[in-house]
Amino acid sequence: MADAGMLRFHVPEPEVRPGGTPDFSNVSIPKAGSVPRPKIDVDPRDIRDLAFSIIRVLNRAGEAVGPWAGLLSDEELLEGLRHMMTLRSFDARMQMAQRQGKTSFYMQHLGEEAVSCAFRKALSRGDMNFPTYRQAGLLIADGYPMVTMMNQIYSNEADPLKGRQLPIMYSSKEHGFFSISGNLATQYIQAVGWAMASAISNDQKIAAAWIGDGSTAESDFHSALVFASTYKAPVVLNVVNNQWAISTFQGIARGGSGTFAARGLGFGIPSLRVDGNDYLAVHAVAKWAAERARSNLGPTLVEYVTYRVGAHSSSDDPSAYRPKAESDAWPLGDPIVRLKNHLIQRGVWSDERHAQAEAEILDTVISAQREAERHGTLHAGGKPSARDMFEGVYAEMPPHLRRQRQHAGV
Amino acid sequence: MPRRTMIEAIRDAMDVSMARDERVIVFGEDVGFFGGVFRCTQGLQAKYGKSRCFDAPISESGIVGAAIGMAAYGLKPCVEVQFADYVYPAYDQIVSEAARLRYRSNGDFTCPIVVRMPTGGGIFGGQTHSQSPEALFTHVSGLKVVVPSNPHDAKGLLIASIEDPDPVIFLEPKRLYNGPFDGHHERPVTPWSKHELGEVADGHYTVPLGKAVIRRPGAAVTVLAYGTMVYVAQAAAEETGIDAEIIDLRTLLPLDLETIVASVNKTGRCVIVHEATLTSGFGAELSALVQESCFYHLEAPVARVTGWDTPYPHAQEWDYFPGPARLGRALVETVEA
């Protein structure tokens, strides 16, 4: 036997670090329209290649091509564009509000707007999302009031969560948006449990689980896939691969596995990869997976290939770990620009109307912000009472909390 | 009245609850077809079907995480962790999610789940079949923590826990499953059929959460106990002849402080006993509360008799387990102090 020599420890590294030239030449991008659209009752074993490809609809010319195209009307696409633009505008204002000290913290969706906005439109009322902190598009696209979102961000007197939660940890049962937790991946298995409950109750509702690339390394990701597979739960298991987990590139979580979608294959779960910056592709794949779930065909895993253009959060500076212009080099471009170009190509939109829409949306966001700020910001104006702090720990306040509330004098 | 073992009482509680409310779902490892490694769920799958009682993958975080999702949907899952020693993979789900869901969502979502788990030692279970992790849960805001000591209470407390709108950690002292145990391991075990607390009524009844009960009235010293230690305390009182007032706490969180304070103010002395390790154990909380609430009535330091601060050993079982001799010495010292 040959002498293997001493063992060497392997730690994956991203291709480029700050100061280097962004390089995505290793990211293989199939042509738009080139990936087939299987029937929803396909045998998962027959579509294993979809876990290693990327489903895309919009081509370079802005045309919608291939078998995943053609699901959405002009009106629906214009509405989708508006949702994405609203989310981006909302993000920019709230990021600024954080810088102005009106709140403690914010996280943007820059570059990932298509994922949550398009996905929401594939669900029905009553379905439940179990989102992470980077899917506020689910709320925007469902018509959840921006003022209420801002009230939560400001922890003001009108905050629906009474100032108990860190900014952006929204909750809305009514809008199918499960309460966000700071603990990563926990909601992934909860989504599966919710879906199991819907099946146990012979309901018709489905669940959607959400996780980022980095958090797939958490054990709850694994338990969710086991439970979803075992009980054929009506759930769409979404993995948003934006290439970064704070400073850690996706290769650290992905390891030697070809893709995050490929993780689903070992569980017998049909797994698809989709261009996360292509509104039409995201919607089409989400619709496919939702139909599968609703038809009792079980879970689907979907990996959205996208790029986190912004900083991880308002507390992060990405220039410390990745090239500044890396997002410009991202081969899948910008989701808003791509849908805009498609709508122009379709003859229902123009640069002028886009600029006008941008201005209108900004006005709407600013007036929502004014209204929210009338209820206070984190350090000024109306705020939740200290009494609210003691409520809601239990359905009924137990004696020890009652004593503590009295002790606090509130 | 029919007599039941604690196992039968617990099974009956789930049976009654499942019959009354179709939202009650029971699952866990080996819980379905086989009926549980301790037989606590025997027959439930046959009676209620696989969608009400089923086997789960070996994944504690999966079991509790799925239960939380089900509760958010509107079901009332009563899940089993095979041994309390194996709850740690689910700790994140319990602490970060179940306990806080109501609070963080301002009641938008709630988590009415019960997590049942066999707890405690005295069975040569070694390090991973003997632990008493209750203090890891009593430290968590938003949880309720229950430890029954007999079949009657086990059934009533479990039904109350299933009906409770908040998440409940339900710790079942497995040493008490088949009969009371006072720490005299050299003697044969008396079955519950020979014990008055083995009388378990048919049908629905509850024992309220948050209410302690005095098992033995006394004047000389208050003993705060729960689970197996209730019987150890009774034996210690009998063997030392000390007129101890023994309180079975039943619910650790929320705690029945009123009953404790009334008793200690009367006796002026307090001994706390639990199987769990000493340092930062639940006894520390009890001791602090007694000291704060009864300082001017106390005639002796509050004593704690507990497991040692070591992992639970195998061969040294009876050197570790706080039996009646060790508790008896503490009673004598406290009364004579």
Side-chain angles (χ1 to χ4, degrees), chain A residues 128 130 159-162 164-165 169 171-174 176-187 189-198 200-203 205 218-220 223-224 226-227 230-231 388-396 398-400 403, chain B residues 22 25 27-28 50-52 54-75 89 92-93 96-110 140-144 164-167 253-255 257-258 289:
Chain A
M128 185 62 70
F130 286 73
D159 174 2
L161 307 183
K162 304 279 184 191
R164 294 175 192 151
Q165 269 277 46
M169 305 290 193
S171 173
S172 176
K173 192 177 200 168
E174 194 194 337
F177 192 94
F178 184 73
S179 158
I180 296 179
S181 167
N183 297 67
L184 297 177
T186 50
Q187 79 288 348
I189 174 69
Q190 292 163 7
V192 176
W194 196 98
M196 288 164 67
S198 183
I200 286 168
S201 309
N202 304 126
D203 202 344
K205 296 169 191 158
E218 292 280 6
S219 56
D220 280 335
S223 53
V226 176
F227 277 64
T230 298
Y231 302 111
D388 287 328
M389 179 169 68
F390 292 95
E391 303 283 344
V393 181
Y394 298 90
E396 265 181 69
H400 69 284
R403 284 194 298 275
Chain B
E22 64 176 14
I25 306 293
F27 65 100
K50 283 199 290 184
S51 62
R52 300 282 306 281
F54 54 90
D55 290 313
I58 303 176
S59 169
E60 289 78 12
S61 71
I63 290 167
V64 176
I68 294 167
M70 289 180 181
Y73 174 90
L75 299 186
D92 189 28
Q93 287 288 346
S96 311
E97 303 293 322
R100 293 210 299 253
L101 188 54
R102 177 189 296 278
Y103 189 74
R104 77 170 193 234
S105 71
N106 192 27
D108 199 18
F109 296 93
T110 60
V140 180
S141 315
L143 296 180
K144 293 182 177 173
D164 196 271
D166 293 308
L253 183 68
L255 185 68
L257 189 58
E258 241 175 273
L289 286 169

Side-chain angles (χ1 to χ4, degrees), chain A residues 123-152:
Chain A
L123 291 185
S124 302
R125 185 135 298 276
D127 295 341
M128 185 62 70
N129 283 287
F130 286 73
T132 76
Y133 45 68
R134 224 187 291 278
Q135 275 88 45
L138 296 169
L139 289 172
I140 299 272
D142 199 51
Y144 187 74
M146 268 191 289
V147 179
T148 314
M149 294 170 78
M150 290 167 172
N151 288 337
Q152 196 281 325

Side-chain angles (χ1 to χ4, degrees), chain B residues 14-25 48 52 74-76 162-163:
Chain B
M14 285 184 271
D15 192 351
V16 166
S17 300
M18 292 173 88
R20 281 168 62 91
D21 186 347
E22 64 176 14
R23 296 173 301 167
V24 177
I25 306 293
Y48 296 100
R52 300 282 306 281
L75 299 186
K76 293 181 79 71
I162 290 170
E163 293 174 358

Side-chain angles (χ1 to χ4, degrees), chain A residues 184-256:
Chain A
L184 297 177
T186 50
Q187 79 288 348
Y188 219 61
I189 174 69
Q190 292 163 7
V192 176
W194 196 98
M196 288 164 67
S198 183
I200 286 168
S201 309
N202 304 126
D203 202 344
Q204 292 180 306
K205 296 169 191 158
I206 64 167
W210 293 88
I211 203 165
D213 46 280
S215 302
T216 60
E218 292 280 6
S219 56
D220 280 335
F221 176 70
H222 186 270
S223 53
L225 265 55
V226 176
F227 277 64
S229 171
T230 298
Y231 302 111
K232 296 195 189 306
V235 60
V236 183
L237 300 158
N238 297 309
V239 178
V240 183
N241 175 8
N242 68 12
Q243 315 300 319
W244 291 96
I246 307 186
S247 74
T248 307
F249 93 114
Q250 45 89 17
I252 293 285
R254 180 173 46 77

